[in-house]
């Protein structure tokens, strides 16, 4: 099979489409509950009208976090990575049934998780910190979602190994390379939460353990929780490096730099989870310091990405006649909704990234931890860099998968700008409110008195939330009409695969070798976590009873 002849089959397209269907359905439900909290802060309590379906703020917040941060992302990503594997390698999945089984396990897990959340028996938020206790079904379902995604990943690896055998010495196509690293990162990362659920939370919720050790559970959780954010981010980076330059009418500035960035993410993403535990008394200061330092190191691959992607965009814009030091930006194809979404996502990520670096400072973290600053930060990252990029990707992916032209592309451009504007208003309000001391994960509207300075910001958040709700639903409607209309115009969309300025074959061979990078990943995990894991396990106290949040 030669490189350019493989045509992705209708069955494969359908399989990827199912991932998107679940992802977008989750987003459309989860997005309802975000603005509800923002409105609650502004003393507009819509929760009262949702009873008896939704019992409480915390149930709504759990639905929002689980559906948007966990389900929308994981299903979109596994679907997108299926495409980057098949298309990049120009071959079908080696064992499609394995991937179908993986997807089936994910869907089963999702349904099992949904039941207790909807019954208000798992209102433990998306981080499910013990001693808040959920129904065993919640933990079981989440485990199945993760296991299903692993199985899909194994299907990618088998396909890749087959390709490698047939193509010794050939550089792995960049989109596949980035996609595979994302999956490997995920499989390392989720060991933490797998251990947390299987050895503590699940047996405890089943009544087989008298209690849990919340401190150790948090360490296990953040072993997964930090790299989780790169599992979300890297597929967007795959698009920015391997597709966006083509969509913008140019080429990728440096294939090698892109590869170095992906490897650095694999090596550096995991050993820094303690930056989420700066205020946890059980973690000694030395280890907080080491993880803070490592957090600053994972800043570099993102800075490299900013440099390489912007250089590629500038090249593209100048090819299109763009001039001037910054004037070239106007020459980018802003009328293409897929490009516009991803550019706006990138711009928001500058601010999200700077906020991340701020969080990583122990001193400043003491000021912002557990305040609304943190959701302000993650709405610029997972809900902007990632989600707005995924929206942009869907604007070509859905026409590609369905063979139908995108419905109202100009509305899709408006949708991206609405998200951008809504997010600026919302995240600015959240960040500022956080600096004013407002706690996160808290219904502020029921407080009889809040500091005066908060009021304007709470209203600002409600306005931002309302705009975001409109933008989310515009996205869902555009995709749904495109996918389900019977008489849509036919479209012949190809995967926009970018060429690099430099021939990828010229990139150093060590950038295409797994062993040294996997070894470095494991070594750094052992150094950064080993001693603390030993210390925390040897002093573990499974004594904390559970608390049920209603
Ligand atoms: Fe974070 C908390 C530190 C990135 C998500 N983060 C969170 C939480 C989430 C989250 C969900 O150190 C809350 C968890 C919870 O519920 O408690 N974060 C960082 C750092 C980075 C970072 C150092 N975070 C992310 C990303 C996320 C994410 C990415 C999701 C996808 N974060 C923290 C810390 C905390 C934290 C602490 C704990 C806070 C606490 O106390 O609870 C870095 O990776 C950021 C590096 C990024 C950059 C930006 C580079 C810019 C680029 C844009 C290029 C522009 C383009 C557009 C392409 C340096 C690449 C050009 C356009 C034209 C028009 C030309
Ligand atoms: Cu983190």
């Amino acid at each position: 099979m030669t490189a350019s002849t493989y045509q992705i089959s209708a069955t494969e397209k359908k399989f990827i489409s199912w991932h998107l269907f679940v992802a977008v359905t989750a987003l459309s439900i989860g997005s309802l509950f975000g603005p509800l909290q923002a409105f609650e802060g502004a003393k507009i309590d819509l929760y009262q009208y949702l009873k008896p379906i939704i019992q409480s703020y915390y149930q709504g917040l759990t639905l929002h976090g689980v559906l948007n941060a966990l389900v929308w992302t994981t299903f979109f990503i596994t679907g997108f990575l299926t495409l980057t594997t098949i298309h990049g390698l120009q071959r079908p999945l080696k064992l499609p049934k394995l991937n179908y089984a993986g997807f089936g396990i994910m869907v089963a897990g999702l349904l099992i998780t949904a039941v207790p959340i909807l019954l208000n028996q798992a209102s433990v938020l998306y981080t499910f910190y013990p001693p808040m206790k959920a129904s065993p079904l919640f933990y079981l379902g989440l485990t199945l979602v993760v296991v299903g995604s692993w199985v899909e990943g194994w299907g990618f690896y088998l396909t890749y190994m087959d390709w490698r055998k047939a193509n010794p010495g050939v550089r792995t196509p960049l989109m596949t390379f980035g996609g595979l690293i994302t999956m490997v990162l995920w499989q390392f990362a989720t060991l933490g939460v797998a251990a947390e659920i299987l050895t503590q939370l699940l047996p405890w919720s089943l009544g087989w353990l008298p209690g849990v050790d919340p401190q150790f559970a948090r360490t296990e959780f953040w072993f997964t929780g930090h790299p989780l954010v790169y599992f979300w981010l890297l597929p967007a980076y795959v698009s920015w490096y391997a597709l966006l330059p083509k969509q913008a009418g140019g080429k990728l500035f440096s294939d090698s730099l892109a590869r170095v960035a992906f490897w650095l993410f694999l090596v550096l993403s995991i050993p820094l989870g303690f930056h989420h535990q700066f205020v946890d008394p059980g973690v000694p200061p030395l280890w907080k310091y080491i993880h803070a330092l490592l957090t600053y190191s994972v800043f570099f691959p993102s800075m490299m990405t900013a440099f390489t992607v912007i250089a590629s965009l500038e090249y593209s814009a100048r090819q299109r006649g763009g001039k001037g030091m910054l004037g070239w930006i106007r020459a980018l194809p802003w009328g293409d909704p897929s490009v516009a979404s991803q550019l706006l996502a990138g711009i928001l990520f500058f601010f999200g990234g700077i906020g991340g670096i701020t969080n990583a400072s122990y001193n400043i973290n003491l000021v912002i931890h557990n305040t609304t600053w943190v959701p302000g930060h993650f709405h610029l990252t997972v809900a902007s860099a990632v989600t707005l990029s995924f929206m942009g990707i869907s604007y070509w992916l859905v026409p590609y998968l369905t063979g139908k032209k995108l419905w109202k592309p100009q509305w899709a451009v408006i949708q991206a700008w609405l998200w951008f504007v809504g997010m600026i208003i919302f995240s600015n309000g959240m960040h500022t409110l956080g600096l004013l001391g407002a706690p996160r994960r808290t219904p502020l509207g029921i407080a009889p008195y809040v500091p005066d300075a908060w009021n304007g910001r709470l209203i600002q958040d409600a306005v931002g939330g309302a705009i975001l709700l409109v933008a989310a639903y515009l996205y869902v409607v555009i995709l749904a009409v495109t996918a389900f209309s019977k008489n849509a115009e036919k479209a012949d969309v190809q995967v926009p695969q970018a060429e690099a300025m430099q021939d990828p074959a010229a990139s150093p061979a060590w950038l295409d070798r797994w062993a040294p990078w996997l070894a470095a990943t494991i070594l750094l995990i052992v150094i950064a976590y080993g001693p603390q894991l030993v210390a925390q396990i040897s002093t573990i106290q499974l004594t904390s009873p559970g608390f049920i949040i209603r």
Side-chain angles (χ1 to χ4, degrees):
M1 196 169 299
T2 58
S4 52
T5 53
Y6 181 70
Q7 282 298 325
I8 181 167
S9 71
T11 319
E12 286 166 330
K13 284 189 172 175
K14 223 178 239 155
F15 180 51
I16 297 170
S17 304
W18 272 107
H19 288 81
L20 258 64
F21 177 75
V22 178
V24 175
T25 308
L27 185 76
S28 63
I29 303 170
S31 297
L32 277 177
F33 295 98
L36 280 193
Q37 290 141 54
F39 294 157
E40 194 278 340
K43 294 203 182 295
I44 309 166
D45 182 11
L46 298 182
Y47 278 112
Q48 55 181 313
Y49 303 112
L50 289 174
K51 281 185 181 163
I53 308 168
I54 302 300
Q55 304 290 337
S56 73
Y57 172 91
Y58 289 104
Q59 192 184 3
L61 187 52
T62 303
L63 276 164
H64 180 58
V66 170
L67 289 175
N68 286 14
L70 303 182
V71 180
W72 148 252
T73 50
T74 309
F75 278 84
F76 191 97
I77 291 168
T78 42
F80 183 56
L81 297 192
T82 307
L83 181 77
T84 60
T85 306
I86 299 176
H87 182 82
L89 300 178
Q90 291 286 305
R91 58 172 54 225
L93 290 168
K94 162 91 170 150
L95 278 183
K97 286 196 179 131
L98 184 68
N99 287 63
Y100 302 161
F103 180 70
I105 297 171
M106 285 173 72
V107 173
L110 173 58
L111 297 174
I112 293 173
T113 312
V115 173
I117 299 183
L118 290 171
L119 293 175
N120 197 25
Q121 288 168 6
S123 296
V124 289
L125 315 186
Y126 87 107
T127 40
F128 49 91
Y129 286 158
M132 289 192 292
K133 192 179 195 174
S135 147
L137 288 180
F138 175 82
Y139 304 118
L140 180 71
L142 280 187
T143 307
L144 289 177
V145 173
V146 171
V147 170
S149 68
W150 285 357
V151 174
E152 289 219 49
W154 298 334
F156 303 154
Y157 304 159
L158 289 176
T159 312
Y160 176 66
M161 284 180 334
D162 235 29
W163 174 87
R164 179 44 87 208
K165 240 186 255 154
N167 298 275
V170 178
R171 296 286 177 275
T172 311
L174 184 61
M175 70 166 76
T176 312
F177 175 87
L180 287 173
I181 290 186
T182 308
M183 188 43 86
V184 173
L185 167 73
W186 172 242
Q187 298 200 350
F188 270 114
T190 37
L191 293 175
V193 90
E196 181 196 8
I197 291 183
L198 296 179
T199 64
Q200 292 206 61
L201 304 186
L202 189 56
W204 169 62
S205 67
L206 286 166
W208 301 345
L209 281 180
V212 274
D213 184 333
Q215 171 64 62
F216 183 52
R218 283 163 67 89
T219 296
E220 290 178 300
F221 180 84
W222 287 114
F223 181 99
T224 300
H226 183 78
L228 170 67
V229 314
Y230 297 109
F231 170 66
W232 296 333
L233 182 68
L234 291 195
Y237 277 11
V238 168
S239 174
W240 295 2
Y241 278 120
L243 308 172
L244 182 62
K246 165 87 174 178
Q247 294 178 287
K251 291 186 177 175
L252 169 63
F253 175 70
S254 167
D255 180 86
S256 309
L257 269 182
R259 288 173 200 260
V260 173
F262 281 112
W263 282 129
L264 289 179
F265 277 116
L266 176 63
V267 176
L268 295 170
S269 291
I270 301 171
L272 32 90
F274 288 148
H275 71 214
H276 293 269
Q277 296 183 267
F278 281 152
V279 300
D280 284 20
V283 182
L286 171 70
W287 294 98
K288 292 177 180 169
Y289 176 77
I290 292 172
H291 282 223
L293 212 65
L294 285 165
T295 305
Y296 282 101
S297 64
V298 84
F299 171 73
F300 285 100
S302 275
M303 289 312 284
M304 286 166 60
T305 303
F307 173 76
T308 312
V309 174
I310 294 174
S312 314
L313 291 172
E314 179 177 354
Y315 172 80
S316 314
R318 294 203 190 277
Q319 294 295 102
R320 300 163 56 90
K323 301 244 179 316
M325 195 156 87
L326 291 175
W328 58 268
I329 293 174
R330 265 180 294 140
L332 288 166
W334 288 95
D336 175 339
S338 177
V339 175
S341 306
Q342 296 183 70
L343 295 177
L344 296 175
I347 294 172
L348 290 176
F349 191 43
F350 266 118
F351 299 99
I354 293 166
I357 285 300
T358 317
N359 301 344
S361 143
Y362 181 80
N363 268 40
I364 300 178
N365 192 275
L366 299 183
V367 178
I368 56 85
H369 185 68
N370 271 343
T371 71
T372 58
W373 167 286
V374 177
H377 161 68
F378 68 65
H379 279 82
L380 288 177
T381 51
V382 64
S384 297
V386 174
T387 294
L388 192 48
S389 291
F390 288 2
M391 288 170 165
I393 294 169
S394 358
Y395 287 144
W396 67 262
L397 184 55
V398 171
Y400 168 77
L401 295 172
T402 58
K404 297 176 190 173
K405 274 208 167 131
L406 187 69
W407 184 69
K408 304 265 187 217
Q410 49 306 22
W411 287 19
V413 174
I414 295 174
Q415 186 274 331
W417 280 99
L418 273 179
W419 194 270
F420 181 74
V421 172
M423 198 55 90
I424 289 178
I425 297 174
F426 175 77
S427 70
N428 174 272
M430 293 293 271
H431 277 97
T432 318
L433 204 53
L435 291 180
L436 294 168
R440 67 182 284 205
R441 309 184 187 101
T442 308
L444 301 172
I446 55 173
Y449 164 80
V450 294
D452 267 352
W454 291 12
N455 285 321
R457 299 299 176 170
L458 287 167
I459 291 167
Q460 178 180 341
D461 283 340
V463 172
I467 299 175
L468 287 168
L469 183 66
V470 173
Y473 272 84
L474 193 51
Y475 167 70
V476 176
V477 168
I478 292 170
L479 286 200
V481 177
T482 305
F484 299 118
S485 73
K486 293 262 181 296
N487 46 6
E489 248 185 277
K490 294 258 167 298
D492 181 22
V493 178
Q494 301 302 320
V495 176
Q497 185 169 351
E499 270 177 60
M501 286 187 196
Q502 146 224 44
D503 179 2
S507 76
W510 53 269
L511 286 180
D512 214 9
R513 257 187 228 125
W514 286 80
W517 300 101
L518 292 175
T521 306
I522 295 168
L523 185 70
L524 207 53
I525 294 174
V526 170
I527 294 173
Y529 265 112
Q532 263 307 293
L533 288 182
V534 172
Q536 293 196 24
I537 292 172
S538 58
T539 54
I540 197 165
Q541 296 186 34
L542 299 173
T543 50
S544 177
F547 294 88
I548 311 277
I549 308 295
R550 294 281 180 217

